[in-house]
């Protein structure tokens, strides 16, 4: 099939203004988004002290993907994508300002989370639909890798710098929401500078599927076995991360024995691992069979997750050997050898997450028609939200009852089981791409 080159061959991605502006708007909006998400977690934890309430907050942040996401996907396919991003960013500015005037209670935190997640779903879906329209097919893997790197950097800055500094050092909730409003405003301006996002001329496979509009994304997935297989992979790893995000605050305080805001430093190696993974994921996605790349990534991810459930036991065991004896002498406040092991394990965990995410996303961007890209992306996000909605609450309840470490182990086992089942069912799904780059003169 045909796809028009979005930019002349040989021009580096970062020198292409549409891609550069898209990356900028993603970065600033995600710094604000991650800072607010982590800020809400800290505020809810201070109010309640229970993992189940933190899990409910995570649920409030992901549930809008099931309803608003389907609407957002259709909007991204039929309306100007750049306008959607711009409007959604301005809406988030208004929500932050509204919270500054009316917020302050635990109930308002949940309400704000729902509003923020809903508008963010529109922005994120439109941004994802823009990418394959402005980037040549042969650069999609690298573009996705850069996009993941931008998201990882924004996450590190939002969680590890903005929220701890503003909430702990400045001790001002209002400053956090005011700063986030400013970042969303900057992202809105940069969205306008992306330029034209009209889909390039290309012949599509199949065209618009029949049936109801809200099932179009699902039908498009089912029509291509490779796309469905990749979507399930992204759903699984996304749902696992959503579940873990509800447990991380309790894990940091209960297992590692440190303050939640300091725990962001413990998570930093995961961001480094993501960055390292992105350096090779884009390259490997085009040269290694998808099933092999995905199965290897999931194996490392599940093993790393399982090791996180027993970091203190591992530190005690390894500390008995001469070359690891230094683990017994680590004592920075309540941070000890278990924290060191956790930081070491976070590195391959992030690496594996990047590998699986880039591989799966590249398959979807490569094979899904541009006219359906928004709906497919929104459907996949809805799948992740549905897959995690009940488990995230159950995991919170179980961690309050039995401790968070056993729940980490249980999540690792469940993830591994589903990953193996999906990989077995997806055998033979690796096929050639449905679109081929071609220049039109």
């Amino acid at each position: 099939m045909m796809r028009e080159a979005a930019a002349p061959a040989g021009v580096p991605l970062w020198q292409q203004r549409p891609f550069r502006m898209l990356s900028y708007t993603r970065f600033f909006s995600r710094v604000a988004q991650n800072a607010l998400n982590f800020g809400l977690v800290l505020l809810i934890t201070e109010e309640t002290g229970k993992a189940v309430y933190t899990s409910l907050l995570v649920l409030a942040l992901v549930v809008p993907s099931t309803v608003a996401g389907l609407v957002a996907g259709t909007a991204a396919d039929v309306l100007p994508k750049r306008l959607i991003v711009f409007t959604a960013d301005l809406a988030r500015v208004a929500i932050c300002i509204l919270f500054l005037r009316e917020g302050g209670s635990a109930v308002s935190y949940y309400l704000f989370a729902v509003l923020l997640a809903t508008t963010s779903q529109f922005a994120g879906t439109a941004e994802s639909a823009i990418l394959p329209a402005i980037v040549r097919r042969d650069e999609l893997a690298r573009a996705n890798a850069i996009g993941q790197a931008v998201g990882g950097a924004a996450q590190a800055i939002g969680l590890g710098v903005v929220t701890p500094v503003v909430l702990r050092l400045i001790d001002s909730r209002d400053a956090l929401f005011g700063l986030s409003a400013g970042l969303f405003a900057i992202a809105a301006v940069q969205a306008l500078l992306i330029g034209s996002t009209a889909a390039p001329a290309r012949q599509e496979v199949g065209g618009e599927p029949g049936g109801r509009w809200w099932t179009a994304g699902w039908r498009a997935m089912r029509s291509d076995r490779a796309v469905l297989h990749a979507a399930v992979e992204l759903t699984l790893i996304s749902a696992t991360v959503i579940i873990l995000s509800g447990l991380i605050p309790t894990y940091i305080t209960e297992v590692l024995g440190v303050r939640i805001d300091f725990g962001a430093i413990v998570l930093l190696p995961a961001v480094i691992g993501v960055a390292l993974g992105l350096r090779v994921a884009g390259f490997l996605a085009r040269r290694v069979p998808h099933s092999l790349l995905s199965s290897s990534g999931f194996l490392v991810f599940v093993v790393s997750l399982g090791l996180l459930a027993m970091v203190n036991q591992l530190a005690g065991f390894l500390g008995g050997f001469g070359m690891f004896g230094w683990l017994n002498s680590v004592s920075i406040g309540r941070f000890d050898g278990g924290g060191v092991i956790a930081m070491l394990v976070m590195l391959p965990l992030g690496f594996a997450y990047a590998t699986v995410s880039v591989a799966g996303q590249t398959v979807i961007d490569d094979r899904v028609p541009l006219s359906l890209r928004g709906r497919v992306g929104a459907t996949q996000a809805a799948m992740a939200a549905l897959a995690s909605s009940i488990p995230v609450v159950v995991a919170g309840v179980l961690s309050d009852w039995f401790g968070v470490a056993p729940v980490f182990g249980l999540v690792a086992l469940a993830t591994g089981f589903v990953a193996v089942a999906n990989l077995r069912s997806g055998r033979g799904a690796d096929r050639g791409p449905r679109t081929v780059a071609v220049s039109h003169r």
Side-chain angles (χ1 to χ4, degrees):
M1 295 302 107
M2 303 293 189
R3 179 175 180 175
E4 183 178 15
V11 178
L13 272 173
W14 205 249
Q15 292 182 19
Q16 299 174 23
R17 177 176 171 177
F19 178 77
R20 188 170 67 252
M21 291 298 107
L22 175 63
S23 299
Y24 286 159
T25 192
R26 278 177 157 178
F27 174 77
F28 283 98
S29 64
R30 278 159 177 72
V31 168
Q33 182 79 42
N34 283 289
L36 290 174
N37 288 352
F38 190 38
L40 289 169
V41 167
L42 293 178
L43 293 170
I44 284 293
T45 302
E46 289 179 352
E47 289 271 352
T48 65
K50 294 288 186 180
V52 65
Y53 292 108
T54 305
S55 296
L56 287 173
L57 176 65
V58 173
L59 194 61
L61 288 167
V62 301
V63 162
S65 297
T66 61
V67 180
L70 297 178
V71 178
T74 302
D77 287 335
V78 301
L79 298 176
K81 301 173 181 60
R82 181 177 53 163
L83 178 61
I84 294 175
V85 177
F86 174 75
T87 304
D89 284 334
L90 289 186
R92 289 187 282 188
V93 172
I95 292 170
C96 290
I97 294 174
L98 178 64
F99 185 85
L100 288 173
R101 298 184 58 181
E102 307 292 341
S105 65
V107 174
S108 68
Y109 298 152
Y110 288 104
L111 178 60
F112 177 78
V114 171
L115 293 174
L116 184 67
T118 300
T119 50
S120 297
Q121 185 64 45
F122 277 87
T125 301
E127 289 166 357
S128 296
I130 287 173
L131 182 65
I134 63 175
V135 173
R136 297 197 318 273
R137 176 188 159 275
D138 61 312
E139 292 185 319
L140 278 174
R142 177 167 172 75
N144 277 313
I146 294 175
Q148 291 282 351
V150 167
Q155 186 175 42
I157 294 173
L159 271 66
V161 179
V162 175
T163 301
V165 168
V166 176
L167 283 187
R168 296 310 184 197
L169 295 184
I170 301 177
D171 193 21
S172 174
R173 184 204 65 194
D174 289 350
L176 177 64
F177 288 93
L179 175 61
S180 298
L183 292 173
F184 284 132
I186 294 173
V189 173
Q190 290 166 333
L192 291 178
L193 299 177
I194 292 174
S196 175
T197 59
R202 84 175 182 184
Q203 298 175 5
E204 307 285 11
V205 175
E208 286 283 338
R212 295 181 173 87
W213 63 268
W214 59 83
T215 61
W218 173 246
R219 293 195 303 276
M221 285 182 185
R222 292 189 61 185
S223 67
D224 188 329
R225 186 179 176 189
V227 169
L228 180 61
H229 178 60
V232 172
E233 290 174 354
L234 291 174
T235 296
L236 177 57
I237 201 160
S238 298
T240 302
V241 171
I242 290 171
I243 294 169
L244 293 179
S245 64
L247 300 176
I248 283 294
T250 305
Y251 178 85
I252 290 171
T253 57
E254 182 180 301
V255 177
L256 304 184
V258 298
R259 286 174 33 175
I260 297 176
D261 45 347
F262 178 77
I265 299 176
V266 178
L267 301 178
L268 185 59
V271 178
I272 297 174
V274 169
L276 293 175
L278 295 174
R279 293 292 296 176
V280 300
F283 175 84
L284 294 177
R286 289 292 182 187
R287 292 164 177 82
V288 177
H290 177 76
S291 58
L292 176 60
L293 187 59
S294 178
S295 59
S296 301
F298 267 115
L299 176 62
V300 175
F301 184 83
V302 170
V303 170
S304 300
L305 188 55
L307 291 177
L308 285 177
M310 55 184 75
V311 291
N312 291 325
Q313 293 85 344
L314 281 173
F317 174 75
L318 293 175
F321 295 89
M323 64 182 299
F324 297 107
W326 56 272
L327 287 171
N328 296 324
S329 61
V330 175
S331 180
I332 306 174
R334 298 174 63 188
F335 183 83
D336 56 16
V340 174
I341 296 295
M343 294 184 71
L344 293 176
V345 173
M346 286 289 181
L347 187 68
L349 185 77
F351 184 92
Y353 171 80
T355 301
V356 175
S357 297
V358 171
Q361 194 62 59
T362 299
V363 170
I364 291 177
D365 285 343
D366 194 26
R367 303 177 70 93
V368 173
L370 291 177
S371 61
L372 292 169
R373 181 61 188 83
R375 279 167 282 186
V376 168
T379 300
Q380 189 277 311
M383 289 166 58
L386 288 172
S388 61
S389 56
I390 295 177
V392 73
V393 177
V394 172
V397 172
L398 292 178
S399 65
D400 285 334
W401 288 352
F402 304 109
V404 71
V407 178
F408 259 64
L410 181 62
V411 172
L413 288 174
T415 302
F417 176 81
V418 178
V420 170
N422 183 55
L423 289 168
R424 288 172 62 88
S425 67
R427 285 178 179 173
D430 288 335
R431 299 194 301 255
R434 302 176 78 184
T435 58
V436 177
V438 61
S439 298
H440 292 274
R441 300 185 182 278

Coordinates of all heavy atoms in Angstrom, one line a residue, residues 68-109:
A68 N -14.4 8.5 28.0 CA -13.9 9.7 27.3 C -13.0 9.2 26.2 O -12.9 9.9 25.1 CB -13.3 10.6 28.2
G69 N -12.2 8.2 26.4 CA -11.2 7.7 25.5 C -11.8 7.3 24.1 O -11.3 7.7 23.1
L70 N -13.0 6.7 24.1 CA -13.6 6.3 22.9 C -14.1 7.5 22.1 O -14.0 7.6 20.9 CB -14.8 5.3 23.2 CG -14.4 4.0 23.8 CD1 -15.6 3.1 24.1 CD2 -13.4 3.2 22.9
V71 N -14.6 8.5 22.8 CA -15.1 9.7 22.2 C -13.8 10.5 21.7 O -13.9 11.0 20.6 CB -15.8 10.6 23.2 CG1 -16.3 11.9 22.6 CG2 -17.1 9.9 23.7
A72 N -12.8 10.5 22.5 CA -11.6 11.2 22.1 C -10.9 10.6 20.8 O -10.4 11.3 20.0 CB -10.5 11.2 23.2
G73 N -11.0 9.2 20.8 CA -10.4 8.6 19.6 C -11.2 8.9 18.3 O -10.6 9.2 17.3
T74 N -12.5 8.9 18.4 CA -13.3 9.3 17.2 C -13.1 10.8 16.8 O -12.9 11.1 15.7 CB -14.8 9.1 17.5 OG1 -15.0 7.7 17.9 CG2 -15.6 9.5 16.3
A75 N -13.0 11.6 17.9 CA -12.7 13.1 17.6 C -11.4 13.2 16.9 O -11.2 14.1 16.0 CB -12.8 13.8 18.9
A76 N -10.4 12.5 17.4 CA -9.0 12.6 16.8 C -9.0 12.2 15.3 O -8.1 12.6 14.6 CB -8.0 11.8 17.6
D77 N -9.9 11.3 14.9 CA -9.9 10.8 13.5 C -10.7 11.7 12.6 O -10.5 11.7 11.4 CB -10.5 9.4 13.5 CG -9.5 8.4 14.0 OD1 -8.3 8.6 14.0 OD2 -10.0 7.3 14.5
V78 N -11.7 12.5 13.2 CA -12.6 13.3 12.3 C -12.5 14.8 12.5 O -12.9 15.5 11.6 CB -14.1 12.8 12.5 CG1 -14.3 11.4 12.3 CG2 -14.5 13.2 14.0
L79 N -11.8 15.2 13.5 CA -11.6 16.7 13.8 C -10.2 17.0 13.7 O -9.3 16.2 13.7 CB -12.2 17.0 15.2 CG -13.7 16.8 15.5 CD1 -14.0 17.1 16.9 CD2 -14.5 17.6 14.5
P80 N -9.9 18.3 13.5 CA -8.5 18.8 13.5 C -7.7 18.3 14.8 O -8.1 18.8 15.9 CB -8.6 20.3 13.4 CG -9.9 20.5 12.7 CD -10.8 19.5 13.3
K81 N -6.7 17.5 14.6 CA -6.0 17.0 15.8 C -5.3 18.1 16.6 O -5.3 18.0 17.8 CB -5.0 15.9 15.3 CG -5.6 14.8 14.6 CD -4.6 13.8 14.0 CE -5.2 12.7 13.2 NZ -6.0 13.2 12.1
R82 N -4.7 19.0 15.9 CA -3.9 20.1 16.6 C -4.9 20.9 17.4 O -4.6 21.3 18.6 CB -3.2 20.9 15.6 CG -2.4 22.1 16.2 CD -1.7 22.8 15.1 NE -2.5 23.3 14.0 CZ -2.2 24.2 13.2 NH1 -1.1 24.8 13.2 NH2 -3.1 24.6 12.2
L83 N -6.1 21.2 16.9 CA -7.1 21.9 17.7 C -7.5 21.2 18.9 O -7.7 21.8 20.0 CB -8.3 22.2 16.8 CG -9.5 23.0 17.4 CD1 -9.0 24.4 17.9 CD2 -10.6 23.1 16.5
I84 N -7.6 19.9 18.8 CA -8.0 19.1 20.0 C -7.0 19.2 21.1 O -7.3 19.4 22.3 CB -8.2 17.6 19.6 CG1 -9.4 17.4 18.7 CG2 -8.4 16.7 20.9 CD1 -9.6 16.0 18.1
V85 N -5.7 19.1 20.7 CA -4.6 19.2 21.7 C -4.6 20.5 22.3 O -4.5 20.7 23.6 CB -3.2 18.9 21.0 CG1 -2.1 19.1 22.1 CG2 -3.2 17.5 20.5
F86 N -4.7 21.6 21.5 CA -4.8 23.0 22.0 C -5.9 23.2 23.0 O -5.7 23.7 24.1 CB -4.9 23.9 20.8 CG -5.0 25.4 21.2 CD1 -4.0 26.1 21.7 CD2 -6.3 26.0 21.1 CE1 -4.1 27.4 22.1 CE2 -6.4 27.3 21.5 CZ -5.3 28.0 22.0
T87 N -7.1 22.7 22.6 CA -8.3 22.9 23.5 C -8.2 22.1 24.8 O -8.5 22.6 25.9 CB -9.6 22.5 22.7 OG1 -9.6 23.2 21.5 CG2 -10.8 22.7 23.6
A88 N -7.6 20.9 24.7 CA -7.5 20.1 25.9 C -6.5 20.7 26.9 O -6.7 20.7 28.1 CB -7.1 18.7 25.5
D89 N -5.4 21.3 26.3 CA -4.4 21.9 27.2 C -5.0 23.1 27.9 O -4.8 23.4 29.1 CB -3.2 22.3 26.4 CG -2.3 21.1 26.1 OD1 -2.3 20.1 26.8 OD2 -1.6 21.2 25.1
L90 N -5.8 23.9 27.2 CA -6.5 25.1 27.8 C -7.5 24.6 28.8 O -7.6 25.3 29.9 CB -7.1 25.9 26.7 CG -6.2 26.7 25.8 CD1 -7.1 27.6 24.9 CD2 -5.2 27.6 26.5
A91 N -8.2 23.5 28.6 CA -9.1 23.0 29.5 C -8.4 22.6 30.8 O -8.9 22.8 31.9 CB -9.9 21.8 29.0
R92 N -7.2 22.0 30.7 CA -6.4 21.7 31.9 C -5.9 22.9 32.7 O -5.8 22.9 33.9 CB -5.3 20.7 31.5 CG -5.8 19.4 31.1 CD -4.6 18.4 30.9 NE -4.0 18.6 29.6 CZ -3.1 17.7 29.1 NH1 -2.7 16.7 29.8 NH2 -2.5 17.9 27.9
V93 N -5.6 24.0 31.9 CA -5.3 25.2 32.6 C -6.5 25.7 33.5 O -6.4 26.1 34.6 CB -4.9 26.3 31.6 CG1 -4.8 27.7 32.3 CG2 -3.7 26.0 30.9
A94 N -7.7 25.6 32.9 CA -8.9 26.1 33.6 C -9.2 25.2 34.8 O -9.6 25.7 35.8 CB -10.1 26.0 32.6
I95 N -9.0 23.9 34.6 CA -9.2 23.0 35.8 C -8.3 23.3 36.9 O -8.7 23.3 38.1 CB -9.0 21.5 35.3 CG1 -10.2 21.1 34.3 CG2 -9.0 20.5 36.5 CD1 -10.0 19.8 33.6
C96 N -7.0 23.5 36.6 CA -6.0 23.9 37.7 C -6.4 25.2 38.4 O -6.4 25.3 39.6 CB -4.6 24.0 37.1 SG -3.9 22.5 36.5
I97 N -6.9 26.2 37.6 CA -7.3 27.4 38.2 C -8.6 27.2 39.1 O -8.7 27.8 40.2 CB -7.6 28.5 37.1 CG1 -6.3 28.8 36.4 CG2 -8.2 29.7 37.7 CD1 -6.4 29.7 35.2
L98 N -9.5 26.4 38.6 CA -10.7 26.1 39.4 C -10.3 25.4 40.7 O -10.9 25.7 41.7 CB -11.6 25.2 38.5 CG -12.9 24.7 39.2 CD1 -13.8 25.9 39.6 CD2 -13.6 23.7 38.4
F99 N -9.4 24.5 40.6 CA -9.0 23.8 41.9 C -8.3 24.8 42.9 O -8.5 24.7 44.1 CB -8.0 22.7 41.5 CG -7.6 21.9 42.7 CD1 -8.4 20.8 43.1 CD2 -6.5 22.2 43.5 CE1 -8.1 20.0 44.2 CE2 -6.2 21.4 44.6 CZ -7.0 20.3 45.0
L100 N -7.6 25.8 42.4 CA -7.0 26.8 43.3 C -8.1 27.5 44.0 O -7.9 28.0 45.2 CB -6.1 27.7 42.4 CG -4.8 27.2 41.9 CD1 -4.1 28.2 41.0 CD2 -3.9 26.8 43.1
R101 N -9.2 27.7 43.4 CA -10.3 28.5 44.0 C -11.2 27.6 44.9 O -11.7 28.1 45.9 CB -11.1 29.2 42.9 CG -10.4 30.2 42.1 CD -11.3 30.9 41.1 NE -12.4 31.6 41.8 CZ -13.3 32.2 41.2 NH1 -13.3 32.3 39.8 NH2 -14.3 32.8 41.8
E102 N -11.4 26.3 44.5 CA -12.5 25.5 45.1 C -11.9 24.3 45.9 O -12.6 23.7 46.7 CB -13.5 25.1 44.1 CG -14.1 26.2 43.3 CD -15.0 27.2 44.1 OE1 -15.4 26.8 45.2 OE2 -15.2 28.3 43.7
G103 N -10.7 23.8 45.5 CA -10.2 22.6 46.0 C -9.7 22.6 47.5 O -9.6 23.7 48.1
G104 N -9.3 21.4 48.0 CA -8.7 21.4 49.3 C -9.1 20.2 50.1 O -8.4 19.8 51.0
S105 N -10.2 19.5 49.8 CA -10.6 18.3 50.6 C -10.3 17.1 49.8 O -9.9 17.1 48.6 CB -12.2 18.4 50.8 OG -12.8 18.3 49.5
A106 N -10.4 15.9 50.5 CA -10.0 14.6 49.8 C -11.0 14.4 48.7 O -10.6 13.9 47.6 CB -10.1 13.5 50.9
V107 N -12.3 14.7 48.8 CA -13.2 14.5 47.8 C -12.8 15.4 46.5 O -12.9 14.9 45.4 CB -14.6 14.9 48.2 CG1 -15.6 14.9 47.1 CG2 -15.1 14.0 49.4
S108 N -12.4 16.6 46.7 CA -12.0 17.4 45.6 C -10.8 16.8 44.9 O -10.6 17.0 43.7 CB -11.7 18.8 46.1 OG -10.5 18.9 46.9
Y109 N -9.9 16.1 45.6 CA -8.8 15.5 44.9 C -9.2 14.4 43.9 O -8.7 14.4 42.8 CB -7.8 14.8 46.0 CG -7.2 15.7 47.0 CD1 -6.9 15.3 48.2 CD2 -7.0 17.1 46.6 CE1 -6.3 16.2 49.2 CE2 -6.4 17.9 47.6 CZ -6.1 17.5 48.8 OH -5.5 18.3 49.7

